[in-house]
Amino acid sequence: MLADLERLTPEEMEHIFFGVLSDPDAGEEVRLPSRPESAGVARRLVRSVLETWKLHQLLEAVELLTGELVANAVRHAGGRMIGLKVVRRPGWLRVEVRDSSRAMPCLIVAPESVCTNGHGLKLVDSIAERWGADLLPRGKGVWFEIKIRERAAA
C-alpha cells in the first residue's frame, strides 16, 4: 500500500482523500507519504474540507498551520508515512498530524536573527488557541485547535 501511495501525484492524493476528511462525523485519518509535497497536499485537503463545512473564516490560518505541522513531520520524524486528521466539535476545529517518531516537538524561543529555521511551532503557538503533542503507541500526534465562531441561526 505504501508503494502505491508513493506513486500517486499530489492531485491524485487530494482526490482520493478529500471524501475521508470531509465527513465531520467520521474523524478518519488519511495517510500521506512523508515527502515535502505532502505539505501542499495537506493544505489543499484542509482548505477543501473547510470550504465544504462553510468555515471560510478559518481558511488561511488552518491552511498555514497544517502546512507547518506536516513540514515538521516530514523534516524531523524520519518515517515513511504521516497521518492527517481534521475534527470538528461544537465551537472547535482540531487538526492533527501523526508521525512515527516519539521525539516530542519543542518551541524554539531564540530570536529569528540567531536561527533561520525552527519557527514553525512559534507560528502555531501565536495563531492557534491551543496546541500540543501526544505520545501514541507508535509515534506521536501534534495538533492545534482553533475556535469556531458559530453564527447564530437567523
Side-chain angles (χ1 to χ4, degrees):
M1 177 162 161
L2 177 61
D4 292 338
L5 275 177
E6 289 177 333
R7 282 192 286 272
L8 293 175
T9 67
E11 293 77 20
E12 290 169 327
M13 283 190 283
E14 289 173 48
H15 179 73
I16 290 168
F17 295 133
F18 170 71
V20 174
L21 287 178
S22 64
D23 181 355
D25 297 321
E28 295 283 327
E29 172 184 287
V30 298
R31 307 280 292 157
L32 301 171
S34 184
R35 57 187 190 200
E37 55 269 23
S38 289
V41 171
R43 284 192 305 271
R44 288 187 296 277
L45 281 169
V46 297
R47 180 177 195 77
S48 294
V49 168
L50 294 182
E51 286 172 347
T52 299
W53 293 348
K54 302 198 182 331
L55 296 174
H56 303 290
Q57 72 276 20
L58 303 179
L59 287 174
E60 287 183 42
V62 173
E63 210 177 346
L64 175 66
L65 300 183
T66 299
E68 290 295 333
L69 292 190
V70 172
N72 281 349
V74 169
R75 188 177 303 119
H76 301 294
R80 293 185 65 193
M81 299 293 289
I82 57 171
L84 173 66
K85 190 174 183 179
V86 182
V87 178
R88 182 178 183 175
R89 293 176 297 167
W92 291 96
L93 179 82
R94 179 182 178 118
V95 175
E96 182 174 352
V97 175
R98 295 176 177 194
D99 62 56
S100 60
S101 171
R102 292 184 55 86
M104 297 300 273
C106 62
L107 184 62
I108 297 174
V109 292
E112 290 183 31
S113 60
V114 174
C115 185
T116 58
N117 61 9
H119 295 284
L121 285 180
K122 189 187 279 187
L123 193 60
V124 172
D125 188 59
S126 67
I127 295 174
E129 265 77 24
R130 49 190 182 213
W131 72 275
D134 300 316
L135 283 176
L136 303 171
R138 293 189 175 147
K140 70 176 170 301
V142 182
W143 53 268
F144 67 86
E145 292 182 336
I146 293 190
K147 196 168 210 43
I148 299 173
R149 312 243 185 297
E150 306 282 354
R151 295 184 181 174

